[in-house]
Amino acid sequence: MGRVFVAGSINMDVVTTADRHPKVGETVAGKAVHYFPGGKGANQAVAAAKLGAPSTLIGRLGMDAFGQQLRQFLAAQGVDLALVKDTADIHTGTAVITIADADNTIVVVPGANALVSAEDVAAPLLAKGDVAVSQFEIPQPTIAAFFKRARAAGATTILNPAPAMACSPQLLELVDIMILNETELGLLAQAELHDTDEPARFIEAARRLPTASNKIICVTLGKRGVLALVGGESSLIAGRAVKAVDTTGAGDCFVGALAAQLADGKPIRDALDYANAAASICVQRMGAAPSMPTAAEVAAVLRS
Ligand code: RIB
């Protein structure tokens, strides 16, 4: 089995719940406050580890209480942290999240994540069959350096360009599989998209992305499921009907699960179904990293 290497962010998510989101300039009374481990990189590494893949996280923490708590949590999930550096004079990444009606708003302050460097990603020994995963909560030049090394080693590269931001065509050329939601797709394909649009519109936008035509593009559409473009052929993997309580980290669960399946040598179609089932479990629980499912839980959903 290959190994999943995730170069990415590690955050403490400070989560408040309320009946509704405040409007600009408004204060609403909240119901609860939670401190959940999160960060897109950490969430994806936890998902892969809990689903049985050897999973290494490359990232940075501040030397503060959040950093210590996150290190302890991630180690307990089976994530290899040998390449996570404690960094002086900067705080651990922190996300301030509000959840109302299962939907979230997030403000993320990168802290130590902004210092993950090309030198940091030069350390892992990547090999053919491994999967290298990253997202946009660490600097893009670091991601490019990581993917160049992965490519040279014959590993598969997965980019989750979240949160949405522009990136260079040179970086996109280093990507084998792109996993993004409709906001990220809209920005990168320069298309105006809405979550209610017909699948054909998303496919048309995905085809416009400046990636090679043999690349795999997965557009995650929340409860509607996932649209996949594989070798130019599009297909819709329908969402599973579940009662969502918190969608934070569902996209990360999908990415980590897909990476774990590919590292295990599974064909892409099976891996997509599996990741879709995994994400349907994640949304039924509060928190990002703590809501990642186990392989036994995903197997039970796939049997049902
Ligand atoms: O994708 C969800 C994650 O985004 C949260 O865990 C939060 O930390 C932000 O990075």
Side-chain angles (χ1 to χ4, degrees):
M1 181 177 204
R3 177 169 278 274
V4 175
F5 288 92
V6 182
S9 57
I10 313 169
N11 296 332
M12 183 59 84
D13 292 350
V14 182
V15 179
T16 61
T17 58
D19 286 330
R20 64 178 179 82
H21 291 280
K23 299 191 188 100
V24 174
E26 188 192 19
T27 302
V28 298
K31 296 203 286 200
V33 61
H34 307 273
Y35 294 83
F36 289 128
K40 294 180 194 303
N43 297 340
Q44 294 172 14
V46 169
K50 287 187 72 175
L51 293 169
S55 166
T56 295
L57 181 58
I58 304 145
R60 285 187 183 237
L61 292 165
M63 296 168 91
D64 48 22
F66 281 172
Q68 283 172 18
Q69 288 161 22
L70 287 164
R71 189 176 277 282
Q72 230 169 32
F73 169 85
L74 291 166
Q77 310 308 302
V79 177
D80 167 25
L81 300 177
L83 301 177
V84 172
K85 288 186 181 162
D86 290 324
T87 308
D89 302 325
I90 191 142
H91 67 85
T92 294
T94 307
V96 177
I97 302 181
T98 303
I99 297 172
D101 270 344
D103 272 330
N104 60 51
T105 58
I106 305 181
V107 174
V108 62
V109 189
N113 297 310
L115 300 182
V116 181
S117 66
E119 198 180 86
D120 295 350
V121 296
L125 284 176
L126 291 139
K128 193 169 163 51
D130 290 342
V131 181
V133 184
S134 200
Q135 335 68 29
F136 281 173
E137 285 185 340
I138 60 170
Q140 289 189 18
T142 303
I143 302 172
F146 179 50
F147 283 177
K148 273 186 198 147
R149 289 198 68 235
R151 272 283 172 82
T156 300
T157 59
I158 300 183
L159 178 66
N160 172 219
M165 61 180 81
C167 75
S168 69
Q170 289 82 355
L171 175 54
L172 293 186
E173 272 166 24
L174 295 167
V175 176
D176 296 316
I177 303 176
M178 176 113 95
I179 303 173
L180 69 185
N181 68 18
E182 80 268 1
T183 312
E184 292 135 16
L185 176 62
L187 186 121
L188 292 178
Q190 296 180 333
E192 199 179 312
L193 298 174
H194 304 103
D195 55 4
T196 48
D197 285 344
E198 287 302 311
R201 250 187 86 65
F202 295 113
I203 289 296
E204 187 195 312
R207 287 192 201 281
R208 243 186 289 146
L209 287 173
T211 51
S213 58
N214 62 346
K215 299 299 180 256
I216 296 173
I217 299 170
C218 306
V219 187
T220 53
L221 298 175
K223 59 182 173 217
R224 296 169 76 191
V226 182
L227 270 172
L229 252 186
V230 180
E233 290 279 304
S234 67
S235 57
L236 175 68
I237 299 111
R240 290 171 176 267
V242 294
K243 180 156 173 31
V245 298
D246 178 9
T247 57
T248 316
D252 299 330
C253 180
F254 184 90
V255 173
L258 193 88
Q261 286 282 290
L262 296 179
D264 197 21
K266 297 288 187 316
I268 184 72
R269 300 273 173 206
D270 295 351
L272 287 165
D273 278 339
Y274 189 94
N276 189 45
S280 78
I281 300 171
C282 175
V283 299
Q284 297 177 67
R285 303 168 178 167
M286 287 295 293
S291 64
M292 300 305 164
T294 61
E297 289 172 322
V298 179
V301 165
L302 286 170
R303 272 197 309 270
S304 66

